[in-house]
Amino acid sequence: MNDAEALQELLMALRRAFVPLPDTRVIERPGWMQLVTPSLRDGGMNEVCLAVLDPDEADAVIDATLAEYRDLGIRFRWNVGPDSAPSDLVARLLARGLRAETTIGLAGATAGLTTAPPAGVTVEPVDETNVEVFTDVMARGWDMDPTPLLAFHQRILDTARERVPMHLARLDGRPAGTAAGAMFQRSAYLMGAVVLPEARGRGLYRALVAARAELAVARGIRLLTTHARSTTSAPILMRLGFSEVCRFTVLTEPPPPSQP
């Protein structure tokens, strides 16, 4: 694919990788896409995926959107990508107390990524037999309540296990990492990867990338895309051969001040 096609695949994957829960609301209109899922209060499927706003109307839309998430007590994020508007959207969101982090849209060929895991590391697909273990690791890694997260993962197994495969990584037999992917016709989107702190630096993240690449290859998919943090996963993926396609600013609520 050329750069424009890779960008289109990445933007499409970012916005179409979700598996709705019964209470998920998808708010979509020209220039706008938003997910609201009250049952996942700790995050996940609570985000503004696309915002192309008229400068004169942007403040009112921003205020109404933030008020809804805050009233529901939901952890959410607002993605500002290369097709967002107005140009000062990030500044407007920062002025309302959100904090910003840079993430990088990456793309890479599946060829050469399907390597064997290092010694002591194993990766297995997630099904009914290990979904609770998978959920526990992900909840610990992302600091989330495991109960609604388990319901979400069971929903994926029930309705979208082929489209959104999940993987569990173990280090010396101990569950220590998780990842998921969304399979599209021309690309596979890597998401949800986390490795517990005590297991980092042992090759689990790379093994989870390889497992999803292998699955993509088996389905005839030659391109992987992802939305990676600039200070953590992005450098690893770039060493594996991924290239930068675009940059996003992801804005979230700061954590509440710690209690004395």
Short mmCIF file of all heavy atoms in Angstrom, two decimals, residues 92-152:
data_model
loop_
_atom_site.label_atom_id
_atom_site.label_comp_id
_atom_site.label_asym_id
_atom_site.label_seq_id
_atom_site.Cartn_x
_atom_site.Cartn_y
_atom_site.Cartn_z
N ARG A 92 -8.13 23.77 22.96
CA ARG A 92 -9.44 23.95 23.60
C ARG A 92 -9.69 22.87 24.64
O ARG A 92 -10.26 23.13 25.71
CB ARG A 92 -10.53 23.93 22.53
CG ARG A 92 -10.45 25.09 21.54
CD ARG A 92 -11.63 25.04 20.58
NE ARG A 92 -11.49 25.95 19.45
CZ ARG A 92 -12.46 26.72 18.96
NH1 ARG A 92 -13.65 26.71 19.53
NH2 ARG A 92 -12.24 27.49 17.91
N LEU A 93 -9.27 21.65 24.35
CA LEU A 93 -9.47 20.56 25.29
C LEU A 93 -8.54 20.69 26.50
O LEU A 93 -8.94 20.42 27.64
CB LEU A 93 -9.25 19.22 24.59
CG LEU A 93 -10.30 18.88 23.53
CD1 LEU A 93 -9.84 17.71 22.67
CD2 LEU A 93 -11.64 18.55 24.17
N LEU A 94 -7.32 21.11 26.26
CA LEU A 94 -6.39 21.35 27.38
C LEU A 94 -6.93 22.44 28.31
O LEU A 94 -6.79 22.35 29.53
CB LEU A 94 -5.02 21.75 26.85
CG LEU A 94 -4.20 20.65 26.17
CD1 LEU A 94 -2.94 21.24 25.54
CD2 LEU A 94 -3.83 19.54 27.15
N ALA A 95 -7.56 23.44 27.73
CA ALA A 95 -8.10 24.53 28.54
C ALA A 95 -9.22 24.07 29.45
O ALA A 95 -9.55 24.75 30.43
CB ALA A 95 -8.59 25.66 27.63
N ARG A 96 -9.79 22.91 29.15
CA ARG A 96 -10.88 22.37 29.97
C ARG A 96 -10.39 21.30 30.94
O ARG A 96 -11.19 20.53 31.49
CB ARG A 96 -11.98 21.83 29.06
CG ARG A 96 -12.77 22.97 28.40
CD ARG A 96 -13.53 22.50 27.18
NE ARG A 96 -14.44 23.55 26.73
CZ ARG A 96 -14.07 24.59 25.96
NH1 ARG A 96 -12.80 24.70 25.58
NH2 ARG A 96 -14.95 25.49 25.58
N GLY A 97 -9.08 21.23 31.12
CA GLY A 97 -8.53 20.38 32.16
C GLY A 97 -8.07 19.00 31.73
O GLY A 97 -7.62 18.21 32.57
N LEU A 98 -8.17 18.69 30.44
CA LEU A 98 -7.69 17.39 29.99
C LEU A 98 -6.17 17.41 29.87
O LEU A 98 -5.55 18.47 29.75
CB LEU A 98 -8.32 17.01 28.64
CG LEU A 98 -9.84 16.92 28.58
CD1 LEU A 98 -10.28 16.33 27.24
CD2 LEU A 98 -10.41 16.10 29.73
N ARG A 99 -5.57 16.24 29.91
CA ARG A 99 -4.13 16.13 29.71
C ARG A 99 -3.88 15.41 28.40
O ARG A 99 -4.67 14.57 27.98
CB ARG A 99 -3.46 15.40 30.87
CG ARG A 99 -3.90 13.96 31.04
CD ARG A 99 -3.15 13.28 32.16
NE ARG A 99 -3.54 11.89 32.29
CZ ARG A 99 -3.01 11.05 33.17
NH1 ARG A 99 -2.07 11.47 34.01
NH2 ARG A 99 -3.41 9.79 33.23
N ALA A 100 -2.75 15.71 27.75
CA ALA A 100 -2.48 15.20 26.41
C ALA A 100 -1.29 14.26 26.40
O ALA A 100 -0.34 14.41 27.18
CB ALA A 100 -2.22 16.36 25.46
N GLU A 101 -1.36 13.28 25.50
CA GLU A 101 -0.26 12.35 25.27
C GLU A 101 -0.16 12.10 23.77
O GLU A 101 -1.19 11.98 23.09
CB GLU A 101 -0.49 11.03 26.00
CG GLU A 101 0.63 10.02 25.82
CD GLU A 101 0.38 8.72 26.60
OE1 GLU A 101 -0.79 8.44 26.89
OE2 GLU A 101 1.35 8.00 26.86
N THR A 102 1.05 12.03 23.27
CA THR A 102 1.25 11.76 21.84
C THR A 102 1.28 10.26 21.59
O THR A 102 1.98 9.52 22.29
CB THR A 102 2.56 12.37 21.35
OG1 THR A 102 2.50 13.79 21.51
CG2 THR A 102 2.81 12.06 19.88
N THR A 103 0.50 9.82 20.63
CA THR A 103 0.59 8.45 20.17
C THR A 103 0.87 8.48 18.68
O THR A 103 0.58 9.45 17.98
CB THR A 103 -0.70 7.65 20.45
OG1 THR A 103 -1.78 8.23 19.71
CG2 THR A 103 -1.05 7.67 21.91
N ILE A 104 1.45 7.38 18.19
CA ILE A 104 1.92 7.33 16.81
C ILE A 104 1.14 6.26 16.06
O ILE A 104 1.04 5.11 16.53
CB ILE A 104 3.43 7.04 16.76
CG1 ILE A 104 4.20 8.08 17.57
CG2 ILE A 104 3.92 7.04 15.32
CD1 ILE A 104 5.69 7.80 17.66
N GLY A 105 0.59 6.62 14.92
CA GLY A 105 -0.03 5.64 14.04
C GLY A 105 1.04 4.95 13.23
O GLY A 105 1.77 5.59 12.46
N LEU A 106 1.18 3.65 13.43
CA LEU A 106 2.23 2.87 12.79
C LEU A 106 1.65 1.83 11.85
O LEU A 106 0.54 1.32 12.07
CB LEU A 106 3.09 2.15 13.84
CG LEU A 106 3.86 3.01 14.84
CD1 LEU A 106 4.49 2.12 15.90
CD2 LEU A 106 4.92 3.84 14.15
N ALA A 107 2.42 1.48 10.83
CA ALA A 107 2.04 0.39 9.93
C ALA A 107 3.28 -0.44 9.63
O ALA A 107 4.40 0.09 9.53
CB ALA A 107 1.45 0.94 8.63
N GLY A 108 3.07 -1.74 9.50
CA GLY A 108 4.19 -2.64 9.21
C GLY A 108 3.73 -3.87 8.45
O GLY A 108 2.58 -4.29 8.59
N ALA A 109 4.61 -4.42 7.66
CA ALA A 109 4.30 -5.63 6.92
C ALA A 109 4.36 -6.84 7.84
O ALA A 109 5.19 -6.91 8.75
CB ALA A 109 5.29 -5.82 5.77
N THR A 110 3.46 -7.80 7.62
CA THR A 110 3.46 -9.01 8.44
C THR A 110 4.69 -9.87 8.17
O THR A 110 5.12 -10.64 9.04
CB THR A 110 2.20 -9.84 8.17
OG1 THR A 110 2.07 -10.07 6.77
CG2 THR A 110 0.95 -9.11 8.67
N ALA A 111 5.27 -9.75 6.98
CA ALA A 111 6.43 -10.56 6.62
C ALA A 111 7.57 -10.30 7.60
O ALA A 111 7.92 -9.16 7.90
CB ALA A 111 6.88 -10.22 5.20
N GLY A 112 8.15 -11.38 8.10
CA GLY A 112 9.29 -11.28 9.01
C GLY A 112 8.93 -11.10 10.47
O GLY A 112 9.83 -11.08 11.31
N LEU A 113 7.65 -10.95 10.79
CA LEU A 113 7.26 -10.74 12.18
C LEU A 113 6.85 -12.03 12.89
O LEU A 113 6.69 -12.04 14.10
CB LEU A 113 6.10 -9.74 12.24
CG LEU A 113 6.44 -8.29 11.91
CD1 LEU A 113 5.18 -7.44 11.90
CD2 LEU A 113 7.45 -7.71 12.90
N THR A 114 6.64 -13.09 12.15
CA THR A 114 6.13 -14.33 12.74
C THR A 114 7.29 -15.16 13.29
O THR A 114 7.55 -16.28 12.85
CB THR A 114 5.33 -15.13 11.71
OG1 THR A 114 6.16 -15.39 10.56
CG2 THR A 114 4.11 -14.37 11.26
N THR A 115 7.99 -14.61 14.26
CA THR A 115 9.14 -15.28 14.85
C THR A 115 8.73 -16.08 16.08
O THR A 115 7.72 -15.79 16.73
CB THR A 115 10.21 -14.25 15.24
OG1 THR A 115 9.61 -13.29 16.13
CG2 THR A 115 10.73 -13.53 14.00
N ALA A 116 9.52 -17.07 16.43
CA ALA A 116 9.24 -17.89 17.61
C ALA A 116 9.49 -17.07 18.87
O ALA A 116 10.38 -16.22 18.92
CB ALA A 116 10.13 -19.12 17.61
N PRO A 117 8.72 -17.30 19.93
CA PRO A 117 8.93 -16.55 21.18
C PRO A 117 10.23 -16.96 21.85
O PRO A 117 10.75 -18.07 21.63
CB PRO A 117 7.71 -16.95 22.03
CG PRO A 117 7.27 -18.26 21.48
CD PRO A 117 7.57 -18.23 20.02
N PRO A 118 10.80 -16.09 22.69
CA PRO A 118 12.03 -16.44 23.40
C PRO A 118 11.78 -17.53 24.44
O PRO A 118 10.63 -17.85 24.76
CB PRO A 118 12.44 -15.12 24.04
CG PRO A 118 11.18 -14.33 24.14
CD PRO A 118 10.34 -14.73 22.99
N ALA A 119 12.84 -18.05 24.97
CA ALA A 119 12.75 -19.12 25.96
C ALA A 119 11.93 -18.66 27.17
O ALA A 119 12.09 -17.55 27.66
CB ALA A 119 14.15 -19.53 26.41
N GLY A 120 11.03 -19.53 27.60
CA GLY A 120 10.20 -19.24 28.75
C GLY A 120 8.92 -18.51 28.46
O GLY A 120 8.08 -18.35 29.34
N VAL A 121 8.75 -18.04 27.22
CA VAL A 121 7.56 -17.27 26.84
C VAL A 121 6.66 -18.12 25.95
O VAL A 121 7.13 -18.72 24.98
CB VAL A 121 7.95 -15.97 26.10
CG1 VAL A 121 6.70 -15.23 25.63
CG2 VAL A 121 8.79 -15.07 27.01
N THR A 122 5.39 -18.17 26.27
CA THR A 122 4.41 -18.83 25.43
C THR A 122 3.24 -17.89 25.20
O THR A 122 2.94 -17.02 26.02
CB THR A 122 3.88 -20.12 26.07
OG1 THR A 122 3.29 -19.82 27.35
CG2 THR A 122 5.01 -21.14 26.25
N VAL A 123 2.57 -18.05 24.06
CA VAL A 123 1.40 -17.24 23.72
C VAL A 123 0.29 -18.18 23.28
O VAL A 123 0.53 -19.08 22.46
CB VAL A 123 1.70 -16.22 22.61
CG1 VAL A 123 0.45 -15.42 22.26
CG2 VAL A 123 2.82 -15.28 23.03
N GLU A 124 -0.91 -17.97 23.81
CA GLU A 124 -2.03 -18.86 23.51
C GLU A 124 -3.27 -18.05 23.15
O GLU A 124 -3.44 -16.93 23.67
CB GLU A 124 -2.33 -19.76 24.70
CG GLU A 124 -2.76 -18.99 25.94
CD GLU A 124 -2.65 -19.80 27.23
OE1 GLU A 124 -1.52 -20.25 27.55
OE2 GLU A 124 -3.68 -19.95 27.91
N PRO A 125 -4.12 -18.56 22.29
CA PRO A 125 -5.37 -17.86 22.01
C PRO A 125 -6.30 -17.92 23.22
O PRO A 125 -6.23 -18.82 24.04
CB PRO A 125 -5.96 -18.64 20.82
CG PRO A 125 -5.34 -20.01 20.93
CD PRO A 125 -3.98 -19.81 21.51
N VAL A 126 -7.16 -16.93 23.31
CA VAL A 126 -8.10 -16.85 24.42
C VAL A 126 -9.42 -17.48 24.02
O VAL A 126 -9.96 -17.21 22.93
CB VAL A 126 -8.32 -15.38 24.85
CG1 VAL A 126 -9.41 -15.27 25.91
CG2 VAL A 126 -7.01 -14.80 25.38
N ASP A 127 -9.93 -18.34 24.89
CA ASP A 127 -11.25 -18.93 24.71
C ASP A 127 -11.92 -19.03 26.07
O ASP A 127 -11.48 -18.39 27.04
CB ASP A 127 -11.16 -20.30 24.00
CG ASP A 127 -10.30 -21.30 24.77
OD1 ASP A 127 -10.09 -21.12 26.00
OD2 ASP A 127 -9.82 -22.26 24.15
N GLU A 128 -12.96 -19.82 26.17
CA GLU A 128 -13.71 -19.91 27.43
C GLU A 128 -12.88 -20.47 28.57
O GLU A 128 -13.18 -20.19 29.74
CB GLU A 128 -14.97 -20.75 27.23
CG GLU A 128 -16.05 -20.09 26.40
CD GLU A 128 -15.81 -20.13 24.90
OE1 GLU A 128 -14.80 -20.74 24.48
OE2 GLU A 128 -16.61 -19.54 24.15
N THR A 129 -11.85 -21.23 28.28
CA THR A 129 -11.06 -21.86 29.34
C THR A 129 -10.08 -20.92 30.03
O THR A 129 -9.67 -21.17 31.17
CB THR A 129 -10.28 -23.06 28.79
OG1 THR A 129 -9.29 -22.59 27.85
CG2 THR A 129 -11.21 -24.06 28.10
N ASN A 130 -9.69 -19.84 29.36
CA ASN A 130 -8.69 -18.96 29.95
C ASN A 130 -9.09 -17.48 29.92
O ASN A 130 -8.26 -16.61 30.20
CB ASN A 130 -7.33 -19.14 29.27
CG ASN A 130 -7.37 -18.86 27.78
OD1 ASN A 130 -8.41 -18.48 27.24
ND2 ASN A 130 -6.26 -19.08 27.10
N VAL A 131 -10.35 -17.20 29.58
CA VAL A 131 -10.75 -15.79 29.47
C VAL A 131 -10.71 -15.08 30.82
O VAL A 131 -10.41 -13.88 30.88
CB VAL A 131 -12.16 -15.69 28.82
CG1 VAL A 131 -13.24 -16.28 29.72
CG2 VAL A 131 -12.49 -14.24 28.48
N GLU A 132 -10.96 -15.78 31.92
CA GLU A 132 -10.89 -15.13 33.23
C GLU A 132 -9.45 -14.77 33.58
O GLU A 132 -9.20 -13.70 34.14
CB GLU A 132 -11.51 -16.04 34.29
CG GLU A 132 -13.02 -16.21 34.14
CD GLU A 132 -13.65 -16.94 35.31
OE1 GLU A 132 -13.01 -16.99 36.39
OE2 GLU A 132 -14.77 -17.44 35.15
N VAL A 133 -8.52 -15.65 33.26
CA VAL A 133 -7.10 -15.35 33.51
C VAL A 133 -6.67 -14.17 32.64
O VAL A 133 -5.98 -13.25 33.11
CB VAL A 133 -6.24 -16.59 33.23
CG1 VAL A 133 -4.76 -16.25 33.38
CG2 VAL A 133 -6.62 -17.74 34.15
N PHE A 134 -7.03 -14.21 31.38
CA PHE A 134 -6.73 -13.11 30.45
C PHE A 134 -7.26 -11.78 31.01
O PHE A 134 -6.56 -10.77 31.03
CB PHE A 134 -7.37 -13.43 29.10
CG PHE A 134 -7.34 -12.32 28.09
CD1 PHE A 134 -6.23 -12.11 27.28
CD2 PHE A 134 -8.44 -11.49 27.92
CE1 PHE A 134 -6.21 -11.10 26.33
CE2 PHE A 134 -8.43 -10.47 26.98
CZ PHE A 134 -7.32 -10.27 26.18
N THR A 135 -8.49 -11.79 31.47
CA THR A 135 -9.11 -10.58 32.00
C THR A 135 -8.40 -10.09 33.24
O THR A 135 -8.18 -8.88 33.42
CB THR A 135 -10.59 -10.84 32.31
OG1 THR A 135 -11.27 -11.20 31.10
CG2 THR A 135 -11.25 -9.62 32.93
N ASP A 136 -8.01 -10.99 34.12
CA ASP A 136 -7.32 -10.59 35.34
C ASP A 136 -6.00 -9.90 35.02
O ASP A 136 -5.68 -8.86 35.63
CB ASP A 136 -7.06 -11.83 36.21
CG ASP A 136 -6.27 -11.49 37.47
OD1 ASP A 136 -6.83 -10.79 38.33
OD2 ASP A 136 -5.09 -11.90 37.56
N VAL A 137 -5.24 -10.45 34.06
CA VAL A 137 -3.97 -9.82 33.69
C VAL A 137 -4.21 -8.45 33.08
O VAL A 137 -3.53 -7.47 33.43
CB VAL A 137 -3.19 -10.72 32.71
CG1 VAL A 137 -1.94 -10.01 32.19
CG2 VAL A 137 -2.79 -12.03 33.38
N MET A 138 -5.17 -8.34 32.17
CA MET A 138 -5.44 -7.06 31.53
C MET A 138 -5.92 -6.03 32.56
O MET A 138 -5.52 -4.87 32.53
CB MET A 138 -6.46 -7.20 30.41
CG MET A 138 -6.74 -5.89 29.69
SD MET A 138 -7.81 -6.07 28.23
CE MET A 138 -6.65 -6.75 27.05
N ALA A 139 -6.79 -6.46 33.48
CA ALA A 139 -7.30 -5.53 34.49
C ALA A 139 -6.17 -5.01 35.37
O ALA A 139 -6.13 -3.82 35.71
CB ALA A 139 -8.37 -6.23 35.33
N ARG A 140 -5.25 -5.89 35.74
CA ARG A 140 -4.12 -5.44 36.55
C ARG A 140 -3.21 -4.51 35.75
O ARG A 140 -2.72 -3.50 36.27
CB ARG A 140 -3.32 -6.64 37.06
CG ARG A 140 -3.99 -7.36 38.22
CD ARG A 140 -3.06 -8.38 38.83
NE ARG A 140 -2.95 -9.59 38.02
CZ ARG A 140 -1.87 -10.36 37.97
NH1 ARG A 140 -0.80 -10.03 38.67
NH2 ARG A 140 -1.86 -11.45 37.23
N GLY A 141 -2.99 -4.85 34.48
CA GLY A 141 -2.10 -4.04 33.67
C GLY A 141 -2.62 -2.66 33.37
O GLY A 141 -1.85 -1.69 33.28
N TRP A 142 -3.95 -2.54 33.20
CA TRP A 142 -4.55 -1.25 32.87
C TRP A 142 -5.28 -0.61 34.05
O TRP A 142 -5.92 0.42 33.87
CB TRP A 142 -5.54 -1.42 31.70
CG TRP A 142 -4.88 -1.74 30.40
CD1 TRP A 142 -4.99 -2.90 29.68
CD2 TRP A 142 -4.01 -0.90 29.63
NE1 TRP A 142 -4.24 -2.83 28.52
CE2 TRP A 142 -3.64 -1.61 28.47
CE3 TRP A 142 -3.53 0.39 29.82
CZ2 TRP A 142 -2.79 -1.08 27.50
CZ3 TRP A 142 -2.67 0.93 28.85
CH2 TRP A 142 -2.32 0.19 27.71
N ASP A 143 -5.18 -1.21 35.23
CA ASP A 143 -5.81 -0.66 36.44
C ASP A 143 -7.31 -0.48 36.23
O ASP A 143 -7.86 0.61 36.38
CB ASP A 143 -5.16 0.67 36.83
CG ASP A 143 -5.63 1.17 38.20
OD1 ASP A 143 -6.06 0.34 39.01
OD2 ASP A 143 -5.58 2.39 38.43
N MET A 144 -7.97 -1.59 35.89
CA MET A 144 -9.40 -1.59 35.62
C MET A 144 -10.11 -2.60 36.51
O MET A 144 -9.50 -3.55 37.00
CB MET A 144 -9.67 -1.92 34.15
CG MET A 144 -9.07 -0.94 33.15
SD MET A 144 -9.33 -1.43 31.43
CE MET A 144 -11.10 -1.11 31.26
N ASP A 145 -11.41 -2.40 36.69
CA ASP A 145 -12.24 -3.35 37.42
C ASP A 145 -12.43 -4.58 36.54
O ASP A 145 -12.93 -4.48 35.41
CB ASP A 145 -13.59 -2.69 37.71
CG ASP A 145 -14.54 -3.60 38.50
OD1 ASP A 145 -14.21 -4.79 38.71
OD2 ASP A 145 -15.62 -3.12 38.87
N PRO A 146 -12.05 -5.78 37.00
CA PRO A 146 -12.14 -6.97 36.15
C PRO A 146 -13.56 -7.44 35.87
O PRO A 146 -13.79 -8.12 34.86
CB PRO A 146 -11.36 -8.03 36.92
CG PRO A 146 -11.42 -7.59 38.35
CD PRO A 146 -11.42 -6.09 38.31
N THR A 147 -14.53 -7.10 36.70
CA THR A 147 -15.88 -7.65 36.52
C THR A 147 -16.53 -7.20 35.22
O THR A 147 -16.93 -8.04 34.40
CB THR A 147 -16.76 -7.32 37.73
OG1 THR A 147 -16.16 -7.86 38.91
CG2 THR A 147 -18.15 -7.91 37.55
N PRO A 148 -16.67 -5.89 34.94
CA PRO A 148 -17.23 -5.50 33.65
C PRO A 148 -16.33 -5.85 32.48
O PRO A 148 -16.80 -6.10 31.37
CB PRO A 148 -17.43 -3.99 33.79
CG PRO A 148 -16.51 -3.57 34.86
CD PRO A 148 -16.42 -4.72 35.80
N LEU A 149 -15.03 -5.88 32.74
CA LEU A 149 -14.10 -6.24 31.67
C LEU A 149 -14.29 -7.69 31.25
O LEU A 149 -14.23 -8.02 30.05
CB LEU A 149 -12.66 -6.01 32.14
CG LEU A 149 -11.57 -6.00 31.08
CD1 LEU A 149 -11.82 -4.93 30.02
CD2 LEU A 149 -10.20 -5.79 31.73
N LEU A 150 -14.55 -8.58 32.21
CA LEU A 150 -14.81 -9.98 31.88
C LEU A 150 -16.08 -10.11 31.04
O LEU A 150 -16.13 -10.87 30.07
CB LEU A 150 -14.93 -10.80 33.15
CG LEU A 150 -15.28 -12.29 32.96
CD1 LEU A 150 -14.24 -13.00 32.11
CD2 LEU A 150 -15.42 -12.98 34.32
N ALA A 151 -17.12 -9.36 31.39
CA ALA A 151 -18.34 -9.39 30.59
C ALA A 151 -18.07 -8.94 29.16
O ALA A 151 -18.63 -9.50 28.20
CB ALA A 151 -19.40 -8.50 31.24
N PHE A 152 -17.20 -7.95 29.00
CA PHE A 152 -16.83 -7.48 27.67
C PHE A 152 -16.10 -8.56 26.89
O PHE A 152 -16.40 -8.83 25.72
CB PHE A 152 -15.98 -6.22 27.80
CG PHE A 152 -15.44 -5.71 26.51
CD1 PHE A 152 -16.26 -5.49 25.42
CD2 PHE A 152 -14.08 -5.40 26.39
CE1 PHE A 152 -15.75 -5.00 24.22
CE2 PHE A 152 -13.57 -4.91 25.21
CZ PHE A 152 -14.40 -4.71 24.12
#
